[in-house]
Amino acid sequence: MDSRARAESICASLPEPTRARAVELAENVLWMEGKLANAREVIGKSSVAIPYDNGGGQRGIRKNPAFDGYNSLMSSYTKALKQLCEMLGVQEVESGDDDLDAILAGTAKTRATRAR
């Protein structure tokens, strides 16, 4: 299933015009989710600090810029996911993780409901 179809499935219960905005947001959340997974894989193969050589004797160690990119994307992802959850009426459960799996599966609105 492509991301548009997944996004439409996630937002199917919403009335228009909210659904159209939510579908666009869900597509972005799904895109960011994929990019974060790719970034984790790349970052997992590298170090937090990396060597650099700018030439002319300018060498040293610097923070890996991939971590900044990942952190920035994670921040955007978290904000977008929270907004999507609010649009869908998904309630957060105090004890832990977000309910992205419930949103993507189009199932229960909370982990507590899924556990029953």
Side-chain angles (χ1 to χ4, degrees), residues 24-36 67-85 98 100:
E24 185 177 331
L25 182 59
E27 279 188 286
N28 285 317
V29 167
L30 292 168
W31 179 85
M32 286 187 274
E33 179 184 77
K35 293 299 180 188
L36 285 167
F67 283 88
D68 288 336
Y70 180 86
N71 288 336
S72 178
L73 184 58
M74 179 57 87
S75 177
S76 296
Y77 171 78
T78 302
K79 289 175 188 174
L81 181 59
K82 181 178 179 182
Q83 185 178 3
L84 181 60
C85 286
D98 64 70
L100 180 59

Side-chain angles (χ1 to χ4, degrees), residues 13-97:
S13 65
L14 295 174
E16 286 296 347
T18 304
R19 185 165 45 89
R21 290 191 323 266
V23 167
E24 185 177 331
L25 182 59
E27 279 188 286
N28 285 317
V29 167
L30 292 168
W31 179 85
M32 286 187 274
E33 179 184 77
K35 293 299 180 188
L36 285 167
N38 291 342
R40 278 191 305 272
E41 186 177 319
V42 170
I43 290 170
K45 297 175 185 174
S46 63
S47 299
V48 174
I50 59 172
Y52 71 91
D53 185 351
N54 291 342
Q58 296 179 346
R59 288 190 269 177
I61 302 290
R62 67 180 173 141
K63 181 171 67 170
N64 188 336
F67 283 88
D68 288 336
Y70 180 86
N71 288 336
S72 178
L73 184 58
M74 179 57 87
S75 177
S76 296
Y77 171 78
T78 302
K79 289 175 188 174
L81 181 59
K82 181 178 179 182
Q83 185 178 3
L84 181 60
C85 286
E86 289 172 1
M87 292 175 92
L88 294 170
V90 175
Q91 300 170 1
E92 292 186 38
V93 177
E94 280 185 36
S95 64
D97 302 332

